[in-house]
Amino acid sequence: MPANTSASSGQKTGKKKGRRLRLILIVLVLALIAGVGYGTYWSVSTVRASLPQTKGSIKLEGLNGPVDVRRDANGIPQIYAESDADLFMAQGYVQAQDRFWEMDVRRHTTSGRLSEMFGKGQVDTDKFLRTLGWHRVAEKEYDTKLSASTKKHLQAYSKGVNSYLEGKDGADVSVEYAALGFSNDYKIDKWTPVDSVAWLKAMAWDLRGNMQDEIDRSLMHSRLGPKEIQDLYPDYPYDLHKPIVQEGGVDEASGAYDPKATGTSTQGGQGSSAGTGLAGGTEAPDGLGTQLSSLSDALGRLPDSVGANGDGIGSNSWVVAGDHTTTGKPLLANDPHLSPQLPSVWYQMGLHCRTVNENCQYDASGYTFAGMPGVVIGHNQDISWGLTNLGADVTDLYLEKIQGDGYLYDGKVEPFRTRTETIKVAGGADRKIVVRETGNGPLVSDRNDELADVGEEAPVSSAAPDRADGYAVSLRWTALTPGRTMDSVFALNKASDFDEFRKAATYFEVPSQNLIYADTKGNIGYQAPGKIPTRAKAHDGTLPAPGWDPDYRWTGFVPQRALPYEYNPKRGYIVTANQAVVDEKYPYTLTKDWGYGARSQRINDLIASKIKGNGKISTDDMRTMQLDNSSEIAKLLTPKLLKLDVSDSYVREAQKLLEGWDYTQDADSAAAAYFNAVWRNVLKLAFGNKLPKELRVDGSCIKVEPADKTGPVDDPDKRVTECGKRAPDAAQPDGGDRWFEVVRSILDDEDNEWWHTPSTRTDPETKTRDQLFARAMEDARWELTAKLGKDADTWSWGRLHRLTLKNQTIGTEGPGFMQWLLNRGPWELGGGEAAVNATGWNAAGGYGVVWVPSMRMVVNLGNFDKSQWINLTGASGHAYSPNYTDQTDKWANGELLGWPFSKDAVENTTDKHLVLSP
C-alpha cells in the first residue's frame, strides 16, 4: 500500500533528523557562542529562553477563571475554560507561546511592513502589498462589518497574545528575533484584532482564482494564435469528470437548478473565449511584451507565506454517508494543498467550554491559523466540516486610460482616489508612495518601472481610446471589499445542523471555498459559499478588460440563495477536489477556469469501487485514498510509449521500466521517475518551447522563430535566442491536469501541429506524435542519467521529488548559517502533480515539491475520539523544540495521529498540563 512503500525512506529520514538535531545543538554551543562573525554573542540560554512554559501555572491578568491547557506528546494544545472570553484569551496566549515569530511575520506581510523587520530588500514587496491595502480593508471589516460577539472574541484573543508578550524582549519570544537583533533594533508591537482579520486576506490571495490564467492567456498572444490558445485551455471534460453537485440544487426562491434537467447553458465551457482577443478585440493580438510579465513577476516576489502565485493550489475533501462506512456514521476527509511552510500554515488545537452554555458556547477541535481565534477546519460536538478551493473567478485586471490626474470611464474623466503610504525601512530611510485607485481598484501598474508601461502594446478593439503612452492596469478583487468571513468562522464552530451550517456559510465571502459537511445524526452535505461577481454580457473574466467601457463592469454578485448545495445525495458520498462545481446548465458563470478534475474523478472512482457490492469504507480506507499516488496521465501515455520501437539500448533499458508498471508514483519507483521525466520532456518539446519567454523558466534559453515572423525559419542560424523570465515554480507548462487535458484532446491526432518541432544542431525535427515521444524518451533517459546515474534500475522518484521545509523569511533569505539552523529536509516523497496525494511539482521548472497536502484529517462522526489527523510540521514554531517538525516524518510516511476530543480521551493523552489562572 502507498503508506508502506515510503516507510523505509521516511525512517531513514527520521534518523537523519535526530542526528541533525543533536548536531545543531552542539554547533549552537560552539558556533553561536563564538558569535558566528556577527560580533554578537549567543549562549545556550539565548536558544532556550524562548521555549514556552507548558507545565505548572501562570497568572494572567484579565482572566475570569482558571483555564487548563493540556498538551499531548506532540505539543498539540487542548484548552478548557468557563467562558468564551477566557477561552479565546487563552487561545491567543498559547498560540503566541508556540508561534509568535510566525504571527509577527504574517501581520507585517498583510500590512506591507516587512521592511521594518528585514530592511530595504522587502521595499518592493511592501509597495505592492500597500497598494492592495489588505490591512486597510481589514480595519474596515472590523469597524463596520463584524458582529459584536466576533469583535469580543478578537479582543479577547489579542489580550491573550499581549499577555504573553508583556515584559519580554524579542530574544525571549523566539530565536529569530535574536538573529534579527544582529542587524536592527526591531521592537515588537502589541497585537490587535485587525492583525487577526487581515490574515484572511492573505489566504484569499493564495486562493484568488484565475488571475494568473488571465495574465498567461494575454502573454501567449505574442506567439500563438486564437486557435492555439484555445487548444491550451480546453473545455472542461464533463463527460469524463463529474462536477461536485450532481443531485443538488439551489434554493427554490431563486428558481430551482436541477443538474439532471435539460436546458440551454448560460455558463459556457472552459476556455470558450480564450482566443477572441484582449478586451473584446477580434483579431489575434500582438502581445503584451514585458508589461503583463512584470505584473506576474511582482506577484512572484511576494513571500511564500502569501502563496506567491496561486498556481497549482488545490485541495481534496470528501464525505461518505454511514450506509457505506464500517461505523454506520459518516466519515469526512480533508487535505488542503498549499505552499510548504515551516512551521506549517496550520495550527492544531481544541477549544472546549467545560460546560457549553450561553456564557461559553464552544466545543470544537481542528486546524486554525496562528494569529487567528476559532477553528477553521475541524469539528464540534455535532458536525464536521472541511474546505477546498472553489476556484471562483473573483479577480479581474482592467486596462485604464490615464488622462492627467484621472482616468477615462464611459466617456468622462474621473479623478483618482489617492492615498500616501510611508514605508519604514530597518537601517534605512523611509520611503513614500502614492497609491492611485480607479472605480475598478488600485493601479497595480504603479508599483514597478516596467508596469508603468503596461498596455503599451495591449491589443484592444477599434473602439478603444488612443493608447498614447499606454494603458495602466488596475485590479478588481472581491477581497478588497470589507466582508464577514471572520463571523463565519465562529458560526461554523457553533453550528449544530445543516441549516445552521448553511447560514454560517453565507458569511464566508472570501476566499470562496467548497464547504463539505457531516453530522452525528448521519447527514452529509455540501455548500458553495462566497462573494462571486456577475459581469456584464461582454465580459467573461478570461482576459484583461477595458476599464473605460461600462459593458465590462461588474454588475453585482451571485445571490447567496442561488449558490449550489447538496444534501444527502442518493449516491451516498460527495467529493470536492477543485473540479467544476456544477454542470453547464447552471445559470451563473462561477468561472471559466475550473480545475480539470483528474484528482476528483480518481477519488470518485475509488469510493464507487469500494462501495460497489455493498463494500464498507473504514477510517483507514479514507487514509489510504488520501495517499493514492496513481498518475492519470501515465495511464493515458504509457501504452503509447511502450509501443514505440526503441533502437538505442540505453533508452530501451529505461523504456523497460514502464513494462508492468501500475502507474503508482511511490518514492522508490524507478518507473515513476522515468515516466515523469518523459512527461516533462513531452511538455517541453510540444508546448514549452513554443510559449513566449515571459512564461518559460528564468534563464532557459532556446533558439526560436522571431515573434514577427512571416513564415517558418528552417535555418537554425536565422533563429533568435530567447531566454525565459519566470520563476521555476510558476513557469509553464506546469504539467497539471489542464495539461493532461490538452494532451488527451490531441493524443489520437498523430499529425497534430503541436507534435511538430524544429530541428536543432543535435536533433532532427519531429512531425508526428510518435517521433516527438521517442525524442522525449531519449531526452529523459539522458537527463536522469545525469541526475541519478547510468543504471536505470537504481533510479527512484523520491530522489528527484524532494521536499525541503524553509523557515519564514530568515530561513529563505537570511545568512546561510541561519538557514542551515532553521530549515529542515529534504524528504524524498511519492505522489505527484494532480495525484490524490498531491505533492505537486512544476514540470517546466524541475521535479522538486512546490506544494503539498498541508495537513490531512479523517473525522469519524460515530466516535470523534477515533478521528485522526496530521500536520505538515509540528505544533511549535521554535526551531529547537522537539515539536518543531516531529510530525513531518509521519506525514511523509502517510501516517495519521490519534485525535482525542472527549475530556477523558484528552486527559489520557496529556503529556504536559499548564494552568492559566486569574
Side-chain angles (χ1 to χ4, degrees):
M1 301 299 291
N4 296 325
T5 55
S6 60
S8 59
S9 63
Q11 290 166 359
K12 292 177 182 177
T13 304
K15 292 177 182 178
K16 291 177 182 178
K17 300 299 179 295
R19 290 195 296 268
R20 185 180 187 188
L21 180 58
R22 290 191 292 272
L23 178 59
I24 285 174
L25 293 175
I26 293 170
V27 172
L28 276 172
V29 175
L30 298 177
L32 292 182
I33 289 177
V36 202
Y38 285 92
T40 301
Y41 293 89
W42 280 10
S43 65
V44 175
S45 63
T46 303
V47 176
R48 292 177 176 171
S50 60
L51 296 179
Q53 178 182 341
T54 55
K55 292 181 177 180
S57 63
I58 298 174
K59 290 189 179 296
L60 290 188
E61 185 177 346
L63 280 178
N64 297 307
V67 176
D68 290 300
V69 181
R70 296 182 174 273
R71 298 174 186 265
D72 64 13
N74 294 103
I76 300 170
Q78 305 281 344
I79 300 175
Y80 292 85
E82 297 284 356
S83 69
D84 291 342
D86 285 356
L87 188 66
F88 293 117
M89 182 177 177
Q91 184 181 16
Y93 187 90
V94 169
Q95 286 193 344
Q97 280 187 306
D98 285 338
R99 298 277 194 98
F100 187 77
W101 165 258
E102 173 194 7
M103 292 164 60
D104 205 14
V105 172
R106 283 181 173 182
R107 68 167 166 175
H108 280 77
T109 299
T110 56
S111 58
R113 295 169 51 212
L114 287 168
S115 301
E116 294 180 21
M117 299 183 78
F118 306 111
K120 63 181 181 181
Q122 296 294 329
V123 168
D124 286 343
T125 298
D126 283 345
K127 286 181 178 180
F128 191 82
L129 292 167
R130 292 285 185 97
T131 300
L132 295 180
W134 293 345
H135 201 266
R136 297 177 69 254
V137 178
E139 287 176 341
K140 292 179 182 178
E141 283 188 4
Y142 182 79
D143 291 339
T144 66
K145 290 289 186 178
L146 299 182
S147 68
S149 62
T150 292
K151 289 182 180 180
K152 287 180 181 178
H153 299 339
L154 288 164
Q155 291 162 4
Y157 180 90
S158 297
K159 189 176 181 179
V161 175
N162 293 325
S163 293
Y164 171 73
L165 294 175
E166 189 174 355
K168 292 182 174 66
D169 292 328
D172 299 325
V173 175
S174 182
V175 71
E176 288 90 343
Y177 289 108
L180 199 63
F182 292 146
S183 58
N184 68 60
D185 57 356
Y186 174 80
K187 301 296 182 185
I188 299 172
D189 292 333
K190 286 188 175 182
W191 193 264
T192 72
V194 174
D195 293 333
S196 296
V197 177
W199 186 243
L200 289 171
K201 302 302 174 187
M203 294 311 298
W205 181 259
D206 206 357
L207 305 170
R208 63 191 178 272
N210 76 334
M211 183 173 167
Q212 194 65 53
D213 288 322
E214 196 172 326
I215 293 172
D216 288 357
R217 264 191 286 254
S218 301
L219 292 171
M220 286 179 184
H221 280 97
S222 66
R223 286 205 165 270
L224 303 177
K227 173 60 169 63
E228 293 170 308
I229 296 174
Q230 176 68 49
D231 288 347
L232 302 186
Y233 288 89
D235 292 346
Y236 185 88
Y238 286 103
D239 57 330
L240 296 176
H241 300 159
K242 297 175 183 177
I244 295 170
V245 175
Q246 301 171 44
E247 302 173 36
V250 299
D251 283 343
E252 293 292 337
S254 64
Y257 156 62
D258 180 0
K260 295 183 178 180
T262 59
T264 302
S265 168
T266 60
Q267 172 145 328
Q270 189 162 12
S272 58
S273 61
T276 60
L278 187 69
T282 56
E283 299 181 359
D286 297 328
L288 299 181
T290 61
Q291 287 80 15
L292 282 174
S293 177
S294 298
L295 174 57
S296 182
D297 292 345
L299 304 182
R301 285 193 298 271
L302 294 182
D304 287 341
S305 59
V306 180
N309 57 61
D311 282 353
I313 299 299
S315 299
N316 301 323
S317 75
W318 64 93
V319 61
V320 182
D323 289 346
H324 303 301
T325 70
T326 58
T327 67
K329 289 292 178 72
L331 295 173
L332 185 150
N334 197 187
D335 56 287
H337 309 154
L338 297 168
S339 301
Q341 298 176 37
L342 180 60
S344 167
V345 68
W346 298 108
Y347 184 91
Q348 299 153 284
M349 71 187 316
L351 300 173
H352 308 280
C353 291
R354 294 192 183 96
T355 302
V356 177
N357 53 39
E358 193 171 307
N359 188 50
C360 200
Q361 305 174 73
Y362 297 90
D363 189 13
S365 183
Y367 298 83
T368 188
F369 304 128
M372 203 179 90
V375 170
V376 177
I377 295 175
H379 69 84
N380 60 27
Q381 69 272 33
D382 297 310
I383 76 166
S384 179
W385 66 96
L387 302 177
T388 63
N389 192 21
L390 191 150
D393 185 359
V394 296
T395 59
D396 277 329
L397 295 173
Y398 283 91
L399 301 176
E400 304 285 2
K401 173 59 180 176
I402 306 302
Q403 292 192 337
D405 293 330
Y407 61 97
L408 189 67
Y409 179 73
D410 198 15
K412 299 178 182 178
V413 177
E414 301 286 345
F416 289 116
R417 296 191 300 271
T418 63
R419 66 180 189 273
T420 300
E421 299 271 355
T422 299
I423 299 172
K424 296 184 181 299
V425 182
D430 293 352
R431 311 288 179 89
K432 290 185 181 293
I433 63 169
V434 175
V435 177
R436 300 188 293 175
E437 293 189 6
T438 72
N440 291 315
L443 288 185
V444 291
S445 55
D446 281 349
R447 297 285 70 87
N448 181 280
D449 291 341
E450 287 183 314
L451 282 173
D453 298 326
V454 164
E456 185 174 336
E457 299 181 23
V460 292
S461 69
S462 58
D466 179 64
R467 71 175 69 248
D469 57 354
Y471 305 121
V473 175
S474 64
L475 169 66
R476 186 156 193 190
W477 177 33
T478 55
L480 298 184
T481 301
R484 297 185 62 186
T485 302
M486 198 71 239
D487 283 343
S488 182
V489 172
F490 293 113
L492 284 171
N493 284 199
K494 294 189 295 184
S496 62
D497 58 30
F498 192 60
D499 287 342
E500 291 182 0
F501 167 80
R502 292 190 68 203
K503 183 177 181 181
T506 64
Y507 308 135
F508 209 112
E509 297 179 359
V510 177
S512 186
Q513 297 287 282
N514 296 306
L515 277 169
I516 202 163
Y517 169 92
D519 64 38
T520 56
K521 294 179 180 178
N523 301 300
I524 65 172
Y526 163 83
Q527 177 65 56
K531 194 170 188 178
I532 303 171
T534 56
R535 296 169 173 86
K537 189 175 181 180
H539 186 24
D540 67 3
T542 60
L543 289 164
W548 53 82
D549 190 341
D551 285 344
Y552 291 82
R553 70 193 186 283
W554 286 8
T555 58
F557 299 93
V558 178
Q560 288 289 322
R561 66 182 185 277
L563 290 171
Y565 73 92
E566 273 195 325
Y567 188 57
N568 292 330
K570 292 179 181 178
R571 66 186 180 278
Y573 58 92
I574 302 170
V575 175
T576 88
N578 316 115
Q579 78 270 41
V581 173
V582 288
D583 67 14
E584 297 166 289
K585 293 183 285 292
Y586 184 67
Y588 294 94
T589 298
L590 301 181
T591 185
K592 293 283 186 176
D593 288 299
W594 298 116
Y596 280 77
R599 276 183 293 110
S600 64
Q601 193 56 45
R602 175 63 176 171
I603 297 167
N604 270 293
D605 292 344
L606 288 170
I607 295 172
S609 175
K610 184 69 177 180
I611 66 178
K612 187 176 181 180
N614 297 318
K616 300 292 184 180
I617 294 175
S618 67
T619 300
D620 198 56
D621 291 329
M622 301 283 277
R623 179 190 68 86
T624 300
M625 291 177 193
Q626 288 179 324
L627 303 176
D628 183 81
N629 288 332
S630 179
S631 169
E632 297 303 298
I633 191 63
K635 293 177 185 177
L636 189 67
L637 295 192
T638 299
K640 308 287 187 186
L641 299 176
L642 287 173
K643 287 181 180 179
L644 296 181
D645 183 12
V646 176
S647 58
D648 188 310
S649 60
Y650 256 43
V651 180
R652 172 60 186 148
E653 181 186 18
Q655 184 189 37
K656 289 174 66 176
L657 295 173
L658 303 179
E659 295 176 357
W661 180 43
D662 64 357
Y663 316 119
T664 299
Q665 301 170 101
D666 298 330
D668 60 0
S669 172
Y674 181 57
F675 173 80
N676 282 318
V678 174
W679 171 236
R680 179 174 185 245
N681 281 279
V682 165
L683 291 171
K684 177 182 177 182
L685 293 169
F687 310 104
N689 290 348
K690 300 167 187 175
L691 295 177
K693 60 182 180 294
E694 291 85 2
L695 272 67
R696 293 189 285 104
V697 174
D698 184 23
S700 63
C701 301
I702 57 174
K703 291 279 191 179
V704 299
E705 297 177 355
D708 58 351
K709 64 181 174 63
T710 56
V713 180
D714 296 324
D715 185 350
D717 291 331
K718 294 183 179 179
R719 298 177 190 143
V720 298
T721 299
E722 281 190 354
C723 297
K725 299 182 64 177
R726 187 167 285 183
D729 62 354
Q732 293 293 338
D734 62 19
D737 64 356
R738 172 164 68 89
W739 293 99
F740 290 13
E741 187 60 20
V742 168
V743 170
R744 187 189 70 82
S745 63
I746 64 171
L747 188 61
D748 293 330
D749 182 2
E750 297 186 31
D751 299 316
N752 190 282
E753 283 291 327
W754 288 109
W755 307 128
H756 295 195
T757 66
S759 61
T760 69
R761 296 198 174 279
T762 57
D763 296 291
E765 67 176 333
T766 67
K767 295 183 177 180
T768 68
R769 179 199 68 197
D770 287 352
Q771 288 175 351
L772 185 141
F773 281 9
R775 182 167 158 188
M777 292 176 70
E778 180 179 1
D779 290 351
R781 189 355 166 170
W782 295 114
E783 180 187 358
L784 294 198
T785 297
K787 293 179 183 295
L788 302 178
K790 292 182 180 180
D791 186 353
D793 289 331
T794 67
W795 294 349
S796 71
W797 175 225
R799 288 171 61 196
L800 291 173
H801 191 54
R802 305 200 301 175
L803 169 68
T804 298
L805 294 172
K806 295 185 177 182
N807 182 279
Q808 291 192 53
T809 306
I810 288 182
T812 302
E813 298 182 358
F817 182 74
M818 287 303 301
Q819 293 189 41
W820 186 82
L821 291 173
L822 298 175
N823 298 343
R824 299 291 184 270
W827 283 266
E828 297 181 356
L829 301 182
E833 178 61 37
V836 180
N837 184 19
T839 55
W841 55 288
N842 186 300
Y847 303 98
V849 177
V850 295
W851 59 84
V852 294
S854 54
M855 62 80 156
R856 299 186 183 102
M857 75 175 194
V858 178
V859 181
N860 183 331
L861 277 294
N863 184 341
F864 286 125
D865 289 334
K866 292 186 178 179
S867 301
Q868 297 179 320
W869 61 353
I870 197 76
N871 206 351
L872 173 63
T873 60
S876 179
H878 297 283
Y880 310 107
S881 164
N883 302 130
Y884 188 49
T885 55
D886 59 322
Q887 296 186 52
T888 309
D889 283 347
K890 292 182 175 64
W891 174 91
N893 289 339
E895 301 173 34
L896 297 174
L897 301 174
W899 182 355
F901 179 68
S902 70
K903 185 177 180 181
D904 287 346
V906 169
E907 288 182 355
N908 288 338
T909 56
T910 296
D911 182 62
K912 296 179 177 66
H913 181 199
L914 174 68
V915 177
L916 304 176
S917 58

